[in-house]
Amino acid sequence: MNKKIRLLQSIHFKIAIVFVLLLLVTLEVIGASFVKQLEYQNVRDFKQSLQVTPYIQNQLSNELLNNSGNANKNIKEIIGDMGNSAEIQVVDNKGTIRGVTNLNNQSTVGQKTRNPRVKQVIYSGHTEQEVNESLGSYYTAIQPLTNPSGDSNAVVGAVYIRASMEDVYKRISSITVIFLTSSLVAGLLGMALSIIISRAITRPIDEMKKQAIQMARGDYSGQVKIYGQDELGQLAIAVNNLSVRVEEAQEASESERRRLDSVLSHMTDGVIATDRRGNITIINETGQDFLNVTRDELLGQSLLKVLRISDEYSLRDLLETQQEMVLDFSEQQDHDLILHVDFSLIQKETGYITGLVCVLHDVTEQQKNEQEQREFVSNVSHELRTPLTSVRSYIEALNDGAWQDPELAPNFLKVTQEETDRMIRMINDLLSLSRMDQGTAKMNLEYVNLNEFFGYALDRFDMMIKRDQEHEDDLPKLTTSAGKLPTDDPNKKYSITRDFTKRDLWVEIDTDKFMQVIDNIMNNAIKYSPDGGVITCRLLETHRHVILSISDQGLGIPRKDLGKIFDRFYRVDKARSRKQGGTGLGLAISKEVIEAHRGRVWVDSQEGKGSTFYISLPYEPIDSDGGDWDAI
């Protein structure tokens, strides 16, 4: 329906008013800038005219230093030559007024000045300036006078200058009035010109409007009259071609829709489309698989409820921000599923929003890897910070003088060395894990009689426990390949029992790495065994496997921690493990080594009764006499 347009709503009026407003705004901006610059220039020139030249400053300084009977008279003559446009006072460094230009204030000569700012300038040696507009416009400047022949920083007095700025501002005001009058005249002329221009512009626009209404009704036969080859003329040509283009666009749109359906059905990402109310209208097969529902179950459902975000977001939030988000669907699936969700608007060419497109991308593996990396970096940072903090504290104590104490210094150096060794062990363990993760760790495999190898490893611990208990007061602690014998109580006693199969078991292993695994597990067994505890080591053969186990009678591992005991940096008793020098990587390295041997390691534990670590290795019986372990 063609409604009559009111004057204030017509484009004729809008073009005219916009043109006039732009003209006025331009004039006012230029005028404001001009007046501001004019004011700045006049004020600056006024201030410069009141500056005391270096020559006069030297004259005044000499008179203040001379302090003869004619000094005040000479000062009065000097400042009198500076002009009568300002009130000038000269004050010496004792605060005594020595000369004034105001005849009404001659009685103040010889008196102490009451102006605190003058005293401040004398004390500080810095010039002060001020424009005071509370009682008329006055400019005040106080300049220090320094000794011209001696120290330039020695203040011998100050010059106080006060002048009225009324004439300056009157000149500025008169120029401003002239500019405003000119702006008003320019605005009236601009309004008349804008009305003429707007009519010339809007006539072809009005014709194009009528043609557009006719095309909206489905009649594309009309033509718009072309008045020229300017932008409006080109627009008229475009309107005339619009009827042909509309039909072509409809055909192209249908073809594009068919292509889009084909693309959606073969995408690896889930795609969901909604109407403007947020109800699902389209979903591809991948999206159905992600959400584990059928297409019929989803159509017409609210997108917010399907994605389970209705409590945190509204449809308006998604329409306004198209915020990306990561959603965890693991609880409603029988497997881990984390989706990255992107939203975008479905808009017509007019900008009208008709719905949303939601793209679901599976980032489960990516999120898992990122979380593992964050935890790893956090653990490494935490584990390295603890010994570094300890080393720094002891070094600071030594630097503060503890190195001179014959009792403290050796202990401090010992702790520093232990913490440094702990960091080196941790870094070596991390390098070993890194090489194993990357598959670059070299395995030096050889066939070994596992009975003799395991017995040899346990003999080392028997010897260390025996010597440690016999010489605990005279000898330092013995160490294993994993470090110091892991006990925090030197009076505790341990015993190791063996339960081996009589049959020789020849297994292909890397002796160095496998010895490290035994050391790690034995160290834990000794560490957590009670006084008088028995550590039982077994070796037996099953069908195509050999089973090696190490049992202790210690604290045991809580059930909730059993699944994490082989994780990197995981400790059941964190405080005690750190105190005894553990890195939290021993069992993780052991797991990697055993898996590199195509074996398996696990633990069975009962809290308060002890733990048993099992190592299973593949075994193929061979006929061999074996060899002596001592020859290795």
Side-chain angles (χ1 to χ4, degrees):
M1 182 178 179
N2 188 9
K3 296 182 179 179
K4 186 177 180 180
I5 300 176
R6 298 178 182 178
L7 175 62
L8 297 181
Q9 296 176 337
S10 67
I11 195 170
H12 303 276
F13 176 78
K14 291 179 180 178
I15 292 178
I17 197 64
V18 168
F19 184 84
V20 173
L21 289 177
L22 287 176
L23 178 62
L24 292 177
V25 168
T26 303
L27 290 174
E28 291 304 319
V29 170
I30 294 174
S33 177
F34 172 75
V35 171
K36 191 67 179 179
Q37 186 65 26
L38 180 66
E39 179 183 357
Y40 171 77
Q41 188 69 31
N42 278 268
V43 171
R44 187 185 66 178
D45 293 343
F46 179 78
K47 291 180 179 179
Q48 289 179 352
S49 66
L50 296 176
Q51 293 293 324
V52 180
T53 63
Y55 175 73
I56 295 178
Q57 287 185 15
N58 291 337
Q59 285 186 315
L60 293 174
S61 298
N62 289 330
E63 293 298 334
L64 290 176
L65 291 172
N66 187 17
N67 204 17
S68 63
N70 295 326
N72 289 351
K73 180 180 179 181
N74 295 335
I75 290 173
K76 180 178 179 182
E77 292 178 356
I78 293 170
I79 61 178
D81 293 339
M82 294 173 61
N84 298 321
S85 60
E87 177 184 350
I88 304 174
Q89 288 185 0
V90 178
V91 183
D92 61 17
N93 56 4
K94 297 180 180 179
T96 303
I97 299 174
R98 300 292 297 275
V100 298
T101 57
N102 192 339
L103 298 178
N104 297 327
N105 293 334
Q106 292 297 324
S107 59
T108 60
V109 176
Q111 298 181 5
K112 295 289 185 179
T113 181
R114 297 181 181 179
N115 192 329
R117 294 177 58 211
V118 174
K119 297 178 181 179
Q120 180 64 29
V121 170
I122 294 174
Y123 294 148
S124 66
H126 298 294
T127 301
E128 289 192 9
Q129 298 181 5
E130 180 185 18
V131 176
N132 189 346
E133 298 182 356
S134 59
L135 299 174
S137 297
Y138 284 93
Y139 168 70
T140 303
I142 307 174
Q143 296 179 248
L145 298 174
T146 57
N147 189 342
S149 59
D151 186 1
S152 60
N153 294 325
V155 178
V156 299
V159 177
Y160 173 87
I161 303 173
R162 183 172 182 268
S164 174
M165 300 182 67
E166 184 176 355
D167 292 339
V168 175
Y169 286 109
K170 281 182 178 180
R171 289 195 301 271
I172 296 173
S173 299
S174 62
I175 294 174
T176 303
V177 171
I178 294 172
F179 182 81
L180 291 176
T181 303
S182 302
S183 300
L184 181 59
V185 173
L188 294 175
L189 294 176
M191 180 176 293
L193 182 61
S194 65
I195 293 173
I196 297 173
I197 295 175
S198 65
R199 287 181 178 177
I201 294 175
T202 55
R203 184 188 301 171
I205 293 177
D206 187 58
E207 292 185 7
M208 285 185 283
K209 179 197 72 172
K210 294 177 181 179
Q211 178 64 20
I213 295 173
Q214 183 178 349
M215 292 172 57
R217 295 171 180 170
D219 183 4
Y220 304 100
S221 60
Q223 294 291 313
V224 178
K225 184 178 179 181
I226 300 174
Y227 290 91
Q229 296 301 319
D230 56 4
E231 289 82 0
L232 290 175
Q234 295 175 3
L235 179 59
I237 295 174
V239 172
N240 290 334
N241 293 330
L242 184 59
S243 59
V244 178
R245 301 298 184 186
V246 167
E247 184 177 3
E248 294 177 353
Q250 289 176 345
E251 294 179 355
S253 177
E254 182 65 22
S255 176
E256 188 67 24
R257 186 188 65 80
R258 290 192 296 268
R259 286 196 296 269
L260 178 61
D261 290 341
S262 177
V263 170
L264 287 177
S265 62
H266 294 88
M267 286 184 63
T268 58
D269 289 340
V271 179
I272 302 175
T274 73
D275 58 20
R276 60 189 306 268
R277 295 180 178 84
N279 298 323
I280 297 175
T281 57
I282 299 174
I283 182 170
N284 66 350
E285 294 181 2
T286 307
Q288 298 175 47
D289 295 338
F290 283 158
L291 300 176
N292 197 23
V293 290
T294 64
R295 183 174 182 273
D296 294 336
E297 291 175 339
L298 286 179
L299 292 181
Q301 298 294 321
S302 171
L303 178 65
L304 299 177
K305 293 183 179 179
V306 171
L307 298 181
R308 298 187 178 185
I309 57 175
S310 56
D311 294 337
E312 294 83 9
Y313 300 93
S314 65
L315 182 61
R316 181 176 294 276
D317 295 333
L318 300 183
L319 293 174
E320 291 179 351
T321 63
Q322 298 97 57
Q323 181 177 353
E324 298 180 3
M325 59 186 69
V326 177
L327 303 179
D328 191 348
F329 287 87
S330 301
E331 295 182 359
Q332 65 185 35
Q333 304 284 351
D334 56 358
H335 60 279
D336 291 339
L337 178 62
I338 301 176
L339 298 178
H340 181 270
V341 186
D342 287 312
F343 297 96
S344 60
L345 299 178
I346 303 176
Q347 292 179 296
K348 294 183 177 180
E349 293 182 359
T350 59
Y352 180 76
I353 298 175
T354 60
L356 274 174
V357 172
C358 172
V359 180
L360 310 176
H361 180 65
D362 188 355
V363 294
T364 306
E365 192 64 27
Q366 176 183 344
Q367 291 287 322
K368 182 179 179 181
N369 293 337
E370 290 178 356
Q371 180 63 26
E372 290 178 352
Q373 290 176 2
R374 287 192 293 268
E375 291 178 356
F376 180 77
V377 172
S378 175
N379 287 330
V380 170
S381 302
H382 181 73
E383 295 297 334
L384 288 176
R385 183 173 64 245
T386 301
L388 282 173
T389 302
S390 177
V391 169
R392 178 180 179 181
S393 299
Y394 281 99
I395 291 177
E396 288 178 350
L398 290 169
N399 190 46
D400 290 340
W403 65 274
Q404 297 177 341
D405 192 320
E407 295 182 0
L408 289 179
N411 292 331
F412 283 9
L413 290 173
K414 180 181 178 182
V415 173
T416 302
Q417 183 179 4
E418 290 175 351
E419 292 298 323
T420 304
D421 292 340
R422 175 183 169 190
M423 286 188 288
I424 293 174
R425 290 197 304 273
M426 185 184 303
I427 292 172
N428 289 334
D429 290 345
L430 288 171
L431 291 174
S432 298
L433 284 172
S434 176
R435 285 192 290 267
M436 292 179 186
D437 290 340
Q438 297 174 4
T440 58
K442 184 178 180 182
M443 299 289 290
N444 298 317
L445 298 176
E446 57 180 310
Y447 276 99
V448 174
N449 187 329
L450 194 60
N451 309 60
E452 296 183 3
F453 180 84
F454 195 16
Y456 171 78
L458 297 179
D459 289 342
R460 294 163 57 242
F461 281 93
D462 281 336
M463 179 185 65
M464 287 186 289
I465 293 173
K466 181 178 179 181
R467 291 183 180 179
D468 191 47
Q469 292 174 350
E470 289 178 353
H471 305 287
E472 58 187 18
D473 296 329
D474 301 325
L475 296 176
K477 297 289 184 181
L478 297 172
T479 59
T480 69
S481 61
K484 184 189 296 184
L485 192 64
T487 174
D488 52 358
D489 185 359
N491 297 319
K492 288 170 62 175
K493 294 179 173 58
Y494 314 91
S495 61
I496 299 176
T497 63
R498 295 169 172 79
D499 184 7
F500 292 1
T501 180
K502 300 300 183 181
R503 179 178 177 179
D504 291 341
L505 303 176
W506 289 85
V507 182
E508 191 176 25
I509 61 174
D510 183 321
T511 56
D512 290 337
K513 290 183 174 57
F514 203 82
M515 182 67 75
Q516 184 181 9
V517 173
I518 295 176
D519 283 348
N520 286 335
I521 297 176
M522 284 297 298
N523 284 338
N524 285 336
I526 294 173
K527 184 188 305 181
Y528 295 107
S529 290
D531 185 22
V534 177
I535 299 173
T536 303
C537 301
R538 297 182 177 89
L539 180 64
L540 55 93
E541 173 192 2
T542 64
H543 182 61
R544 295 189 178 279
H545 288 85
V546 294
I547 306 296
L548 182 152
S549 67
I550 299 174
S551 304
D552 62 60
Q553 299 174 336
L555 301 175
I557 303 171
R559 182 177 296 274
K560 64 182 179 64
D561 296 315
L562 284 177
K564 304 176 181 178
I565 197 68
F566 293 101
D567 292 350
R568 300 173 187 187
F569 293 108
Y570 188 82
R571 297 185 178 97
V572 177
D573 187 350
K574 296 181 175 59
R576 185 175 181 184
S577 296
R578 289 196 183 95
K579 180 179 179 181
Q580 293 173 340
T583 65
L585 298 172
L587 292 179
I589 293 176
S590 299
K591 181 175 180 292
E592 296 288 343
V593 170
I594 296 302
E595 290 180 351
H597 284 81
R598 296 180 294 111
R600 189 167 68 93
V601 59
W602 71 96
V603 62
D604 184 17
S605 180
Q606 189 172 358
E607 200 168 0
K609 294 185 179 181
S611 304
T612 301
F613 283 84
Y614 296 92
I615 298 174
S616 172
L617 295 175
Y619 172 62
E620 292 286 345
I622 59 174
D623 294 331
S624 174
D625 294 333
D628 289 337
W629 171 250
D630 293 336
I632 298 179

